[in-house]
């Protein structure tokens, strides 16, 4: 049921989405760069690696999603799986 | 300032009774007044150290034991009750109002209980009162989910009672203080708490029942049961090492399910287990910092998880749909709800200046301090993961993503007020944590805002978001699909019933054979009885008195003989 007389909303325009994403990439870059400028006090060995938290966050989430996707192959059932008796 | 001997739960129970009779605006006023009056009573009337007990048979039931730990949970439950009541103000159904009041009162009764019997009573009341919030949805699925919920919750209570009785026998005391894992009583009580706390494999009642409750009911449910369990663990099992491992598992496994789950309220239910995991870790570490982290995270979780459940409740209320696969683009018609949802999402993701940040970081810091290096990595993984599924997925698939074409209207005003109240609290606690820290039970010297910590957290979160953006752009992100995912509940929702059916089928021939044999025997028996006791049977004949006397003599002889021996 697509609406007809729709006004344009902010994210209907791709350039707005792209603008948002560009801003987001810049923030990511700045945060990573700050790692080399600000001296962090470390409480843990792993943290000595520059960009530890950035890399960890990125890798963790990619792994999370890819593993979850594989889990679907084993775990996913039809929506009414529990509602019908076999 | 007034002092009073009134236990906090009484106000809610009386209000529930009155709500049975009241209707219209009178009931609305009562719904709002109850948590406010109760909260004022608690704040001004019940200072630290208040103790109130009533005798019952040979026991003393301690109805109020107020120390900084129970008071913190008491304040929190009043705030949660007020927010949930405002959110549910439009509900005309009496059952839900009464159940909500009784449920909140039971939670208060449980956290102020000073002995195990009182705790048990409110433990069971929590189960019985809350199930009506699930049944009120009135769908077939909700009815069944409610039944399963009730069975599991009551079982938890029975285990608690059994543990309490063994504990009483061993220690001659029913006081609810440190219990520890020693002995059978400790284990029983630990499992009872574990069920309500949604330990792994005991967790499915939560993901099963919460998403089936009414839009307003889930907001109540998310606030009380699990937090009472966290309180009980913090009271009975602080520093129990195994809790650190259980908690770490709880933070990690639900996030995988949350990523592929389609029902957005079920995503939140999984994310709830993840957040409770952080609290359980904190209780397990058991240092002052960790315990403070655990209980303050419980405090914050009630508010931000409530906010997220409210925003999804508003979506469900307005659109009648909560599946990610069928939603999207709602920011166009529900912009306020979308913004409030994002505040909740930022809080649960522990963005600096939002409430999750100031409490979760305490648990994380304590973990490092106590040398749980690898578990700390697991928690860090879970922190990134929670941002991924609760912080991004919830708002993204409901309000943005592809336009579902659904055009609805903004949430009702009372819902917006309730959500705004929660959002303000999230930001206030996050940016001014000293007020929450001032209420914490243990002495803390902790401040979350330093450059290192803020930078590390921002890097973690922004690059988690970057992963989401990249996966989406590369088409690797799993789409939302109408589906269910098999979890531990499969054992009792599928395997057990199927096993029973198979056994029944297998035993059918034997059963039929047994039945036939039985009826043959019964027929033979009736024939026998008819022969001897029937109108012409031996036993129907009148006996001479002489034979009676003879038998009495025989009996006497036997008795004498027995005595003689």
């Amino acid at each position: 049921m697509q609406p007809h007389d729709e006004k344009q909303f902010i994210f209907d325009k791709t350039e707005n989405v792209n603008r948002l994403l560009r801003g987001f990439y810049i923030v990511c870059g700045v945060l990573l760069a700050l790692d080399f400028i600000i001296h962090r006090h470390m409480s843990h060995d792993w943290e000595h690696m520059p960009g530890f938290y950035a890399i960890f966050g990125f890798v963790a989430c990619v792994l999370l999603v890819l593993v979850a996707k594989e889990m679907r192959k084993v775990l996913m059932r039809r929506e009414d799986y529990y509602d019908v008796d076999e | 300032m007034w002092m009073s001997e009134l236990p906090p739960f009484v106000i809610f129970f009386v209000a529930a009774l009155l709500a049975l009779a009241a209707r219209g605006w009178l009931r609305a006023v009562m719904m709002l007044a109850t948590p406010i009056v109760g909260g004022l009573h608690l704040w001004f009337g019940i200072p630290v150290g208040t103790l109130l007990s009533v005798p019952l048979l040979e026991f003393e039931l301690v109805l109020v034991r107020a120390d900084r730990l129970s008071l913190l949970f008491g304040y929190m439950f009043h705030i949660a009750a007020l927010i949930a009541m405002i959110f549910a103000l439009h509900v005309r159904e009496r059952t839900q109002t009464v159940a909500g009041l009784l449920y909140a009162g039971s939670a208060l009764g449980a956290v102020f209980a000073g002995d195990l019997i009182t705790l048990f009573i409110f433990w069971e009341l929590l189960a019985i009162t809350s199930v009506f919030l699930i049944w009120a949805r009135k769908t077939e699925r909700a009815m069944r989910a409610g039944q399963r919920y009730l069975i599991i919750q009551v079982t938890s209570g029975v285990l608690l009672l059994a543990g309490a009785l063994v504990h009483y026998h061993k220690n001659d005391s029913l006081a609810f203080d440190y219990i520890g894992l020693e002995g059978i009583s400790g284990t029983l009580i630990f499992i009872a708490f574990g069920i309500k706390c949604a330990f792994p494999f005991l967790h499915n009642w939560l993901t099963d029942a919460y998403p089936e409750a009414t839009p307003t009911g889930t907001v109540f449910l998310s606030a009380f049961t699990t937090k009472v369990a966290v309180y009980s663990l913090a009271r009975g099992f602080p520093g129990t090492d195994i809790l650190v491992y259980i908690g770490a598992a709880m933070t990690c496994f639900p996030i995988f399910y949350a990523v592929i789950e389609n029902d957005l309220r079920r995503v939140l239910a999984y994310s709830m287990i993840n957040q409770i995991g952080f609290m359980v870790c904190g209780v397990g570490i058991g240092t002052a910092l960790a315990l403070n982290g655990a209980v303050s995270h419980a405090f914050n979780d009630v508010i931000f998880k409530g906010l997220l459940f409210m925003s999804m409740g508003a979506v469900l209320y307005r659109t009648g749909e909560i599946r990610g696969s069928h939603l999207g683009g709602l920011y166009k018609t529900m912009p306020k709800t979308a913004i409030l949802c994002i505040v909740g999402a930022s809080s649960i993701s522990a963005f600096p200046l939002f409430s999750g940040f100031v409490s979760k970081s305490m648990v994380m810091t304590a973990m490092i301090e106590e040398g749980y290096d690898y578990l700390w990595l697991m928690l860090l993984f879970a922190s990134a993961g929670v941002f991924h599924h609760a912080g991004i997925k919830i708002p993204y698939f409901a309000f943005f993503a592809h336009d579902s074409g659904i055009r609805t209207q903004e949430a009702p005003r009372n819902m917006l007020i309730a959500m705004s109240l929660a959002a303000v609290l999230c930001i206030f606690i996050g940016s001014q944590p000293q007020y929450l820290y001032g209420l914490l039970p243990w002495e803390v010297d902790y401040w979350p805002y330093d450059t290192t910590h803020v930078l590390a957290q921002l890097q973690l979160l922004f690059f988690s978001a970057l992963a989401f953006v990249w996966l989406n752009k590369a088409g690797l992100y799993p789409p939302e699909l109408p589906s269910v995912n098999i979890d531990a509940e499969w054992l009792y929702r599928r395997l057990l019933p199927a096993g029973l059916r198979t056994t029944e089928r297998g035993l059918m021939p034997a059963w039929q054979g047994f039945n036939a044999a039985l009826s043959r025997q019964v027929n033979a028996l009736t024939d026998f009885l008819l022969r001897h006791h029937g109108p012409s049977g031996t036993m129907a004949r009148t006996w001479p008195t002489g034979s009676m006397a003879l038998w009495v003599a025989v009996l006497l002889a036997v008795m004498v003989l027995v005595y003689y021996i």
Side-chain angles (χ1 to χ4, degrees):
Chain A
M1 47 172 200
Q2 271 304 324
H4 11 276
D5 59 333
E6 275 270 280
K7 67 168 186 168
Q8 282 271 304
F9 287 92
I10 177 162
F11 294 125
D12 283 342
K13 290 190 187 140
T14 11
E15 73 234 41
N16 284 340
V17 177
N18 288 334
R19 214 173 281 163
L20 183 78
L21 284 178
R22 260 200 307 281
F24 172 70
Y25 295 144
I26 293 170
V27 175
C28 285
V30 169
L31 282 172
L32 193 60
L34 278 177
D35 227 20
F36 296 92
I37 301 165
I38 296 175
H39 178 71
R40 290 198 275 127
H41 60 89
M42 317 281 179
S43 45
H44 208 278
D45 286 347
W46 295 312
E47 292 181 83
H48 286 290
M49 190 169 98
F52 168 75
Y53 285 97
I55 296 167
F56 188 91
F58 188 84
V59 173
C61 283
V62 170
L63 271 181
L64 167 67
V65 170
L66 295 183
V67 170
K69 236 173 117 172
E70 292 307 304
M71 279 167 60
R72 262 196 172 164
K73 290 180 185 160
V74 186
L75 299 177
M76 195 165 79
R77 293 293 183 276
R78 284 172 29 172
E79 214 172 2
D80 59 355
Y81 176 69
Y82 286 120
D83 300 335
V84 287
D85 290 330
E86 273 167 357
Chain B
M1 184 186 275
W2 85 84
M3 292 278 288
S4 123
E5 294 281 272
L6 200 61
F9 72 86
V10 173
I11 297 171
F12 282 77
F13 281 15
V14 170
L17 261 182
L18 296 176
L20 271 177
R23 59 180 62 199
W25 63 268
L26 186 63
R27 197 168 49 149
V29 169
M30 275 183 44
M31 281 168 73
L32 298 181
T34 310
I36 294 175
V37 171
L40 290 173
H41 166 65
L42 191 64
W43 187 261
F44 293 111
I46 301 188
V48 173
T50 308
L51 210 61
L52 173 71
S53 57
V54 291
L56 179 86
L57 305 175
E58 63 207 88
F59 302 112
E60 279 283 308
L61 294 188
V62 184
L63 293 183
V64 178
R65 179 254 313 264
D67 56 11
R68 288 175 70 87
L69 181 59
S70 53
L71 281 171
L72 179 72
F73 277 79
Y75 302 142
M76 163 178 127
F77 286 158
H78 280 91
I79 295 172
L82 177 64
I83 292 175
M85 284 293 170
I86 298 174
F87 188 77
L89 213 52
H90 64 281
V91 177
R92 294 273 164 267
E93 226 177 307
R94 198 169 299 168
T95 332
Q96 286 201 59
T97 314
V98 175
L101 284 166
L102 288 175
Y103 179 42
S106 308
L108 286 167
V111 293
F112 284 106
D115 68 284
L116 291 168
I117 295 300
T118 313
L119 180 70
F120 160 76
I121 293 169
F122 288 110
W123 200 261
E124 293 291 37
L125 279 176
L126 275 172
I128 296 162
T129 52
S130 57
V131 76
F132 288 98
L133 298 169
I134 301 163
W135 284 338
R137 183 90 177 273
K138 293 185 182 132
T139 59
E140 176 70 25
R141 290 173 77 147
M143 292 318 234
R144 290 192 180 194
Q147 282 167 8
R148 286 190 293 269
Y149 170 85
L150 192 59
I151 290 171
I152 295 171
Q153 295 292 313
V154 169
T155 308
S156 158
V158 171
L159 289 172
L160 174 60
L161 181 64
L165 294 179
V166 179
H167 185 80
Y168 179 67
H169 261 272
K170 205 170 63 179
N171 305 313
D172 212 26
S173 156
L174 277 171
F176 178 29
D177 293 309
Y178 179 78
I179 297 168
L181 264 181
E182 287 80 35
I184 182 118
S185 57
T187 311
L188 283 171
I189 297 174
F190 187 74
I191 296 172
F193 290 178
I195 292 176
K196 267 217 192 339
C197 221
F199 282 1
F201 299 106
L202 307 174
H203 66 278
N204 271 130
W205 62 267
L206 200 163
T207 55
D208 179 19
Y210 282 15
E212 299 301 338
T214 61
T216 52
T218 311
V219 178
F220 279 96
L221 288 167
S222 74
F224 299 111
T225 300
T226 51
K227 302 309 174 296
V228 168
V230 169
Y231 162 84
S232 306
L233 278 180
R235 175 76 72 190
F237 298 92
T240 305
D241 198 44
I242 192 175
L243 283 176
V244 188
Y245 299 92
I246 294 176
M250 286 172 75
T251 59
C252 282
F253 90 88
I255 57 181
F256 292 97
Y257 276 96
V259 168
I260 50 176
E261 177 59 52
N262 190 31
D263 183 320
L264 294 183
R265 291 200 301 171
R266 189 158 282 131
V267 173
L268 288 176
Y270 274 112
S271 130
M272 193 159 174
I273 301 175
N274 154 286
Q275 294 299 308
I276 299 166
F278 284 96
M279 301 166 211
V280 171
C281 276
V283 173
I285 298 168
T287 59
L289 179 65
L291 286 167
N292 271 340
V295 295
S296 58
H297 203 51
F299 194 100
N300 289 337
D301 183 68
V302 162
I303 300 167
F304 61 62
K305 188 54 60 59
L307 176 52
L308 286 168
F309 268 122
M310 283 192 281
S311 64
M312 288 303 109
V315 166
L316 176 61
Y317 178 74
R318 277 300 190 216
T319 66
E321 183 58 74
I322 196 61
R323 288 170 296 175
S325 53
H326 291 62
L327 290 171
L330 289 181
Y331 80 96
K332 296 175 179 175
T333 41
M334 303 179 82
K336 290 174 188 161
T337 310
I339 291 170
L340 292 164
C341 177
I342 290 172
V343 173
S346 310
S347 302
I348 196 174
S349 315
F351 258 98
L353 298 182
F354 291 89
S355 61
F357 180 71
V358 303
S359 49
K360 192 157 80 178
S361 55
M362 272 193 264
V363 177
M364 300 288 282
T365 308
M367 204 120 191
I368 283 266
E369 279 179 3
E370 298 305 304
Y372 292 102
D373 289 358
Y374 288 98
L375 293 183
W376 176 78
L377 272 188
M378 274 174 83
L379 260 59
L380 198 64
F381 173 70
S383 302
V386 72
F387 179 44
H388 209 90
H389 71 256
I392 303 178
K393 174 172 170 163
I394 292 285
Y396 181 74
F397 283 108
F399 298 106
F400 305 99
H402 71 285
D403 192 339
S404 60
I406 298 176
R407 292 294 176 267
T408 177
Q409 43 179 329
E410 189 54 88
R413 186 176 297 158
N414 66 306
M415 288 189 172
L416 286 176
I417 292 172
M419 288 190 278
S420 306
L421 197 59
V424 167
L425 278 171
C426 282
I427 298 173
F428 177 75
I429 295 173
S431 48
Q432 304 290 321
Q434 66 271 24
Y435 298 105
L436 175 62
Y437 287 177
L439 290 175
L440 294 181
W442 290 271
E443 283 295 316
V444 263
D445 181 27
Y446 179 79
W447 191 247
Y449 289 107
D450 63 35
T451 327
T452 302
H453 191 191
V454 171
L455 180 62
Q457 184 69 7
L458 284 178
Q459 285 174 339
L460 185 77
L461 294 179
F462 269 84
F463 279 80
S464 301
L466 190 65
F468 182 83
V469 172
W470 176 67
L471 287 164
N472 246 324
K473 289 212 148 199
L476 288 170
Y477 200 86
E480 296 290 288
L481 297 172
S483 60
V484 295
N485 298 302
I486 292 180
D487 197 346
E489 64 190 339
W490 181 82
L491 292 173
Y492 58 82
R493 291 182 69 177
R494 262 292 173 204
L495 186 66
L496 192 64
L500 287 177
R501 269 197 300 275
T502 317
T503 322
E504 191 192 341
R505 267 199 299 277
L507 289 180
M508 204 40 112
W511 174 246
Q512 278 160 349
F514 173 74
N515 261 344
L518 191 71
S519 62
R520 269 199 305 278
Q521 293 299 322
V522 169
N523 286 339
L525 184 69
T526 32
D527 286 349
F528 173 81
L529 288 176
L530 194 66
R531 204 160 55 243
H532 293 283
H533 295 263
S536 56
T538 333
M539 304 300 267
R541 271 181 247 145
T542 40
W543 288 9
T545 330
S547 66
M548 176 86 131
L550 178 72
W551 279 112
V552 170
V554 170
L555 273 176
L556 277 174
V558 170
M559 272 176 73
V560 169
L561 210 66
V562 168
Y563 265 104
Y564 181 73
I565 295 167

